[in-house]
Amino acid sequence: VRPDPRRGKVGERRLPDLFDRAERLGAEWLTLEVRASNLPAQRLYEKYGFRPAGIRRRYYSDNNEDAIIMWTDRLRDRALRERIAKLRASLQERG
């Protein structure tokens, strides 16, 4: 998300749909890389069930910052689906 709208839930509002789309496409897990310094993003991803699984050293070419590799449990996992459903409902309640 661009710097100006950050903290406005722009990224978070897209995450439930990303899970749905990945499942429709037959994905079993989701994975991503996030800057080691981007703690707000890491917290958001953890909220959605991503867990740190490794580090890519000097991954970002602009400053050689490390990336944290994060993975979800299986997308068909009942606990993960329930977590995403609750988070989606919470976002819808907040408008």
Side-chain angles (χ1 to χ4, degrees):
V1 177
R2 294 171 155 253
D4 48 322
R6 280 187 193 151
R7 310 299 296 166
K9 305 270 183 224
V10 173
E12 184 168 4
R13 291 183 190 285
R14 300 195 68 190
L15 279 170
D17 294 334
L18 175 68
F19 277 83
D20 292 345
R21 184 171 184 185
E23 199 167 354
R24 280 194 310 272
L25 292 171
E28 292 193 46
W29 301 271
L30 290 177
T31 185
L32 56 80
E33 291 93 10
V34 61
R35 287 181 183 269
S37 65
N38 193 344
L39 298 178
Q42 290 176 45
R43 284 192 298 271
L44 172 64
Y45 298 139
E46 287 171 352
K47 178 178 173 181
Y48 277 80
F50 286 88
R51 290 185 305 222
I55 298 174
R56 294 193 195 280
R57 302 275 179 217
R58 298 175 297 283
Y59 181 76
Y60 293 98
S61 60
D62 62 335
N63 65 357
N64 290 319
E65 183 175 359
D66 294 345
I68 307 296
I69 304 164
M70 301 182 84
W71 283 83
T72 62
D73 290 333
R74 287 188 182 269
L75 296 179
R76 293 182 188 97
D77 180 77
R78 182 180 178 144
L80 181 61
R81 289 193 343 245
E82 289 174 356
R83 175 191 289 226
I84 300 305
K86 286 179 185 177
L87 290 166
R88 182 193 315 272
S90 176
L91 283 170
Q92 290 170 345
E93 286 174 8
R94 289 186 263 156

